[in-house]
Amino acid sequence: MLEPCPIRTKADYCAALDAIERLFDAELNTPEFDRLKVLTTLVEAYEHRHYPIEALDPIEAILYYLESRELSLDGLEPIKQVMF
């Protein structure tokens, strides 16, 4: 088993994802679980740097949520009455 190392390339990233998949069911407090934690931390850092996620506008996020579930703004009326 290779030691975890910095993820510098897309190939490194894919290899780390493959290793995470193989280790996904590792039991707590085992060397495999420790390796899984290190690899996920490295992948998160790589993704944060190379695939940043912009913060959503809260209103747009709510409208998208409603639209994707075929809901209308009328469905929010009971919540509106409780909150305001």
Side-chain angles (χ1 to χ4, degrees):
M1 188 180 298
L2 294 174
E3 291 299 315
C5 58
I7 299 173
R8 294 185 179 96
T9 66
K10 180 85 173 192
D12 293 342
Y13 174 68
C14 291
L17 291 176
D18 289 342
I20 288 171
E21 188 174 338
R22 288 190 303 275
L23 295 167
F24 196 73
D25 294 323
E27 292 190 30
L28 287 172
N29 301 319
T30 63
E32 291 80 16
F33 183 79
D34 292 344
R35 180 173 168 73
L36 175 63
K37 295 294 284 180
V38 170
L39 285 170
T40 56
T41 301
L42 292 170
V43 164
E44 286 174 356
Y46 181 87
E47 288 175 344
H48 181 72
R49 188 171 48 251
H50 294 279
Y51 305 109
I53 298 174
E54 293 181 28
L56 294 176
D57 173 72
I59 301 301
E60 288 180 25
I62 291 168
L63 293 174
Y64 171 78
Y65 178 88
L66 293 171
E67 181 182 322
S68 67
R69 287 155 181 82
E70 298 182 4
L71 301 171
S72 70
L73 287 172
D74 296 335
L76 297 177
E77 192 61 34
I79 297 170
K80 180 181 171 186
Q81 292 173 357
V82 171
M83 294 181 71
F84 302 103

